Amino acid sequence: MSHSAPALLPRREFLCAGGALVVGLSLDGCVTRGPERGATPLAPALRAPRAGPPPAAQVDSWLAIHPDGTATLYMGFAELGQGTTTSLLQIAAEELDLGMDQIRAAPLDTHLSPNQGGTYSSASIQRGRPQIAAAAAEARRALLTMAAAHLKVPVEKLVVERGQVHAAGKSRPAVGYGELIGGRQFELAISGNAPLKPASEYRLVGKRELRADLAGKVTGRHTYIQQLRLPGLQHGRVIRPRGQAAYGAGARILSIDDSALAGIPGARLVRRGDFIGVVASREWDAVRAAQAVKVQGEPPPPLPGSVSLHEHLRAATTTDNVVLERGDARKAAENETGELPIVTVVQRGHGPYQAHAPFAPNCALADIRAGANLVICSSQDVYAARRSIAALLNLPPEQLRVQYAEGSGTYGHSCYDDVAQAAALLSQLAGAPVRLQFMRWDEHGWDTYGPPHVGEARITAGMDGRITAYEYHGWQHNWSLVDTTTQLAGAAPAAEWPPVAVQGVNPLACGGMYDIPNLRLVNHRLPGLEYLRAAWLRSPLDLAFSFVSEQAVDQLATKLHLDPLEFRRRNIRDARWLGVLEAVAKAARWSESRITAPKDAGLRRGRGLGLGTHLVSYGAAVAEIEVDTRTGQVRILHLYGALDAGLVVNPLTVERQIEGQLVQTASRMLLEEVQFDTARVTSLDWQSYPILRMDACPDITPVIVQRLDERSTGAGEETMAAAAAAIANAFFDATGRRMERFPFTPERVLAALQGVPGAPAA
């Protein structure tokens, strides 16, 4: 990104705006940038900032009605570029009978916003819609009761149009929301029994609505966190080894030589335990200072290295548990009854560490001084961030204010919490406001990567094309719980997440879409301290699950001489899985035509089909690819993705989400892999960790299976697993070879084409 530095806001203006400069609200008398929709600026929000969260059972925690009849919605979810601040407004405006130009979202702020949990697991609409709809419906019922008394008309005779209430069949007299309650609070509990609109009456929900945040991003007027400044700030940088070692080892310091800082104006070193940083008045001086300090660290314990990683995972001692079991998969696979001939296939697969790799390294601002205690960051969960930062600083959480400002992309737990902790600690140690931005080698080298996986699927089917037995074994290590800054500062040692379902074998992606009488899923969990830092990356592990599982399904179809689409149809009873399967097949014209063969004899084309999901929803994909058998280069020509996420509030936003998922899946399947040797990570830049470029981006066709009478479920990561499987199956269609490891680098592709061990023919 290239931007001129924005003018500094006066301190009161900035702190009140909370870094959310595009919201178009004036909070507590503070001035912000104008609204992105180009509408008239709205009236001030009512709530005075105070340590949250506000009580979730109160209407006033969610909504404010202003004297001009407009409304403010307080929400606890972050706008990550996925359109949450548009879709949740649609939900509130629908229940309130307001127009989209009459409602805005308040900034995400622990002094303003309800705590709805983190913006992850595709949960903004899934969790947020019921909460916001209930609050808005309660408010509407109260407003209609007020209007009935004002107009002397029974409630059941009233209608609302754009916040104006009048008797049915008459446009006058009318009374507006602003006149009824504008400038005052409801002081009303959410009962949960206020009637919600039926889907048949929706005007806004289910309609394509332009994202409220998009215009500013297209025109360059949107302000990202990297562009924000605090008055009187110092610029900071952290000092760490280039590339992390084993998570449990940290980065223990033996000696520091900071004598070179004497030649850099205003630069000074700050330290707590093994956490080291520098601050300076000018950013370039901070960068120079960080590179000038000489640090000798303790040699780290050995890592397996990326070359031997999967062998190491497979051979390690594990904690095993059966995730799901029905029938007897092993007996069915052995065909002890001998009633029908059977076919059994085995598919193995390896997924690598993959990085979040936001376009700009993560950034945060902090002012940890008496009377301030402010952190501005891009955390997906501001209340969790408040807890972790407060613990690091030894502050009561309610004395710390955390405000959200959007970063340049996030797809899971990247370094946004780590940089926020580091900025806060630098500010506390330096006694001044600090702006900290990671360097590229900090971001790439100290990321919490998406974890690696080893999978093995064994599936059996009868000659009638019915799957009779399915067994999946998955090996992966735990997620990292403590962020790097907290670990290095000695506030908490390295620790792992307690075992939760999302860290292990996923029953939905591993055979869950098929009607299988005998199934066994086994999770082999490894302790994570001796590996790299890892946590959730968009659709964590699911790409690897479907990469293995759906290739095995395709193997069976091939051995039974059945079309992959027809084979799946025979084994699916769930109407929603069938719905996405048929929708993507229709969009790709699967049954009508084959992909056109290239004229160049060295190029081979193929197409593949895949199913998969994350925690909820239903995803299907078709991939069309081209393989250059001379160079090993794979080019993805077209990806089709179908998604059933229940009631889709904003189809336009979800279509864009599908597009983003499929582009990212293409990048992860072809290019992305964290490299590390036996000491440290070596993928520290865009050369050593390449991502898909614009000129290699495939054509994308998104398809939504809309179900207005179903609850809303996740739409942010549920087609990725299906797309990974479709790409792998398209590779087989093109070459007759199965891949056991992604990404599909030229070296691996050539090895597969030559039939070397590790890449056998199907």
Side-chain angles (χ1 to χ4, degrees):
M1 297 183 300
S2 176
H3 293 277
S4 58
L8 293 180
L9 290 173
R11 179 178 176 81
R12 175 172 170 76
E13 289 185 25
F14 180 83
L15 294 181
C16 293
L21 301 179
V22 300
V23 174
L25 300 173
S26 290
L27 296 177
D28 195 28
C30 304
V31 178
T32 70
R33 299 270 179 97
E36 296 216 346
R37 289 181 181 276
T40 302
L42 301 180
L46 297 179
R47 185 179 306 147
R50 64 174 62 92
Q58 295 294 313
V59 170
D60 296 312
S61 298
W62 302 90
L63 290 165
I65 304 295
H66 310 298
D68 64 356
T70 61
T72 294
L73 174 66
Y74 298 91
M75 63 179 75
F77 290 114
E79 177 59 72
L80 309 175
Q82 81 281 35
T84 291
T85 52
T86 302
S87 299
L88 292 179
L89 288 177
Q90 286 178 260
I91 293 164
E94 184 70 78
E95 296 297 336
L96 288 168
D97 281 311
L98 291 174
M100 287 295 287
D101 60 333
Q102 295 177 289
I103 189 167
R104 289 292 187 276
L108 180 55
D109 184 333
T110 57
H111 274 43
L112 292 172
S113 308
N115 184 1
Q116 292 184 279
T119 309
Y120 39 65
S121 298
S122 298
S124 299
I125 303 302
Q126 181 181 344
R127 290 202 314 260
R129 180 188 165 210
Q131 294 170 307
I132 288 170
E138 198 75 57
R140 184 180 189 275
R141 182 166 67 175
L143 288 163
L144 287 178
T145 300
M146 297 176 201
H150 181 91
L151 297 173
K152 298 180 174 55
V153 176
V155 168
E156 61 270 17
K157 299 291 186 181
L158 296 177
V159 296
V160 187
E161 298 177 16
R162 290 182 56 81
Q164 293 292 312
V165 189
H166 56 82
K170 300 179 181 179
S171 60
R172 288 288 182 267
V175 63
Y177 287 169
E179 185 179 350
L180 292 170
I181 200 174
R184 303 188 306 278
Q185 293 195 342
F186 285 93
E187 298 182 354
L188 178 66
I190 301 171
S191 66
N193 60 23
L196 300 174
K197 273 190 181 180
S200 60
E201 296 181 13
Y202 286 161
R203 300 174 301 105
L204 296 173
V205 169
K207 303 300 188 294
R208 300 166 69 85
E209 181 74 24
L210 292 175
R211 263 174 45 190
D213 63 316
L214 200 56
K217 294 174 179 176
V218 172
T219 61
R221 289 173 30 239
H222 184 80
T223 303
Y224 291 92
I225 191 169
Q226 287 85 359
Q227 299 164 278
L228 298 180
R229 301 292 185 271
L230 286 170
L233 66 77
Q234 295 274 291
H235 289 277
R237 287 296 186 272
V238 295
I239 301 174
R240 296 171 180 172
R242 296 286 179 96
Q244 62 180 278
Y247 170 47
R252 301 184 69 84
I253 296 171
L254 299 179
S255 66
I256 301 174
D257 178 0
D258 64 349
S259 58
L261 297 187
I264 302 175
R268 53 189 172 125
L269 182 138
V270 294
R271 177 182 180 182
R272 177 175 160 185
D274 293 321
F275 174 86
I276 316 171
V278 292
V279 294
S281 298
R282 297 192 311 168
E283 185 171 16
W284 178 237
D285 288 338
V287 174
R288 293 169 55 211
Q291 297 182 39
V293 175
K294 298 178 181 178
V295 179
Q296 182 181 356
E298 184 177 279
L303 290 165
S306 46
V307 174
S308 303
L309 171 65
H310 296 101
E311 293 178 11
H312 198 276
L313 291 173
R314 184 65 178 82
T317 301
T318 59
T319 300
D320 301 341
N321 69 288
V322 177
V323 177
L324 178 64
E325 187 166 26
R326 62 173 175 263
D328 193 322
R330 293 191 175 178
K331 284 187 177 180
E334 292 166 1
N335 195 27
E336 290 186 353
T337 62
E339 294 177 1
L340 289 172
I342 61 169
V343 175
T344 298
V345 299
V346 176
Q347 177 69 42
R348 299 176 179 86
H350 303 143
Y353 285 107
Q354 294 184 316
H356 295 87
F359 283 169
N362 271 290
C363 177
L365 297 92
D367 189 356
I368 307 300
R369 296 179 297 171
N373 291 342
L374 169 71
V375 175
I376 304 170
C377 62
S378 296
S379 176
Q380 291 179 310
D381 188 339
V382 292
Y383 280 102
R386 185 177 73 169
R387 289 194 301 271
S388 63
I389 297 168
L392 173 67
L393 303 179
N394 198 26
L395 287 173
E398 61 273 12
Q399 291 185 15
L400 181 66
R401 184 175 187 178
V402 177
Q403 298 176 326
Y404 176 80
E406 192 173 354
S408 62
T410 185
Y411 313 103
H413 195 216
S414 66
C415 296
Y416 48 72
D417 283 326
D418 187 29
V419 77
Q421 293 170 21
L425 186 54
L426 285 176
S427 177
Q428 186 182 59
L429 295 172
V434 168
R435 174 190 177 274
L436 170 63
Q437 181 167 315
F438 279 170
M439 302 298 288
R440 177 54 61 189
W441 49 80
D442 300 323
E443 185 73 41
H444 271 48
W446 287 86
D447 193 6
T448 45
Y449 307 115
H453 177 71
V454 175
E456 181 177 304
R458 180 183 298 270
I459 313 181
T460 300
M463 299 307 293
D464 59 351
R466 305 280 183 181
I467 298 175
T468 57
Y470 180 104
E471 187 167 2
Y472 191 97
H473 291 259
W475 290 261
Q476 55 276 315
H477 68 73
N478 275 9
W479 291 358
S480 308
L481 179 62
V482 177
D483 284 291
T484 301
T485 295
T486 291
Q487 178 189 359
L488 296 183
E496 301 172 329
W497 273 65
V500 292
V502 73
Q503 296 183 60
V505 172
N506 181 352
L508 294 177
C510 297
M513 59 285 292
Y514 303 112
D515 180 34
I516 305 173
N518 303 285
L519 180 141
R520 188 168 189 261
L521 309 180
V522 184
N523 194 68
H524 303 274
R525 178 168 55 88
L526 288 77
L529 295 184
E530 63 187 76
Y531 296 94
L532 302 180
R533 294 176 49 79
W536 59 93
L537 173 65
R538 194 179 195 180
S539 199
L541 291 173
D542 297 315
L543 275 69
F545 294 147
S546 287
F547 173 75
V548 178
S549 179
E550 286 288 284
Q551 283 201 84
V553 170
D554 253 37
Q555 277 200 58
L556 277 176
T558 299
K559 288 184 178 294
L560 293 168
H561 305 289
L562 289 173
D563 179 85
L565 174 61
E566 175 57 29
F567 182 64
R568 286 172 171 82
R569 283 173 174 157
R570 291 190 188 187
N571 288 283
I572 298 176
R573 287 190 180 180
D574 189 299
R576 297 180 74 175
W577 277 115
L578 277 173
V580 290
L581 178 67
E582 299 294 352
V584 81
K586 180 179 178 181
R589 299 175 62 240
W590 182 275
S591 300
E592 299 173 28
S593 63
R594 298 292 296 171
I595 185 171
T596 304
K599 295 180 180 179
D600 187 333
L603 300 177
R604 297 182 188 174
R605 289 183 180 172
R607 65 176 181 173
L609 182 65
L611 296 173
T613 187
H614 179 41
L615 298 178
V616 290
S617 303
Y618 306 79
V622 168
E624 297 175 353
I625 74 168
E626 183 175 84
V627 181
D628 190 325
T629 60
R630 297 157 301 194
T631 66
Q633 292 286 345
V634 178
R635 180 171 165 239
I636 301 174
L637 305 173
H638 203 135
L639 288 173
Y640 303 81
L643 176 64
D644 175 350
L647 186 154
V648 172
V649 173
N650 188 339
L652 181 61
T653 294
V654 171
E655 286 174 359
R656 300 299 173 262
Q657 281 291 292
I658 294 171
E659 290 174 357
Q661 291 174 55
L662 299 189
V663 170
Q664 189 175 19
T665 302
S667 182
R668 289 169 64 178
M669 292 302 294
L670 297 188
L671 295 165
E672 298 187 38
E673 180 174 13
V674 175
Q675 302 288 339
F676 59 103
D677 57 26
T678 56
R680 299 189 178 281
V681 168
T682 56
S683 292
L684 303 176
D685 52 34
W686 296 118
Q687 292 293 106
S688 51
Y689 190 87
I691 61 173
L692 198 71
R693 301 302 177 102
M694 291 292 290
D695 59 0
C697 185
D699 290 332
I700 303 288
T701 299
V703 181
I704 293 172
V705 179
Q706 178 69 285
R707 296 189 184 272
L708 293 175
D709 294 325
E710 296 284 351
R711 70 185 183 96
S712 299
T713 54
E717 49 199 325
E718 282 71 25
T719 58
M720 298 184 74
I727 292 165
N729 287 329
F731 183 87
F732 173 79
D733 188 51
T735 66
R737 299 284 175 171
R738 290 283 173 197
M739 294 293 283
E740 288 191 352
R741 185 170 177 177
F742 66 91
F744 294 0
T745 62
E747 296 77 15
R748 289 177 189 149
V749 169
L750 291 175
L753 296 177
Q754 294 163 9
V756 300

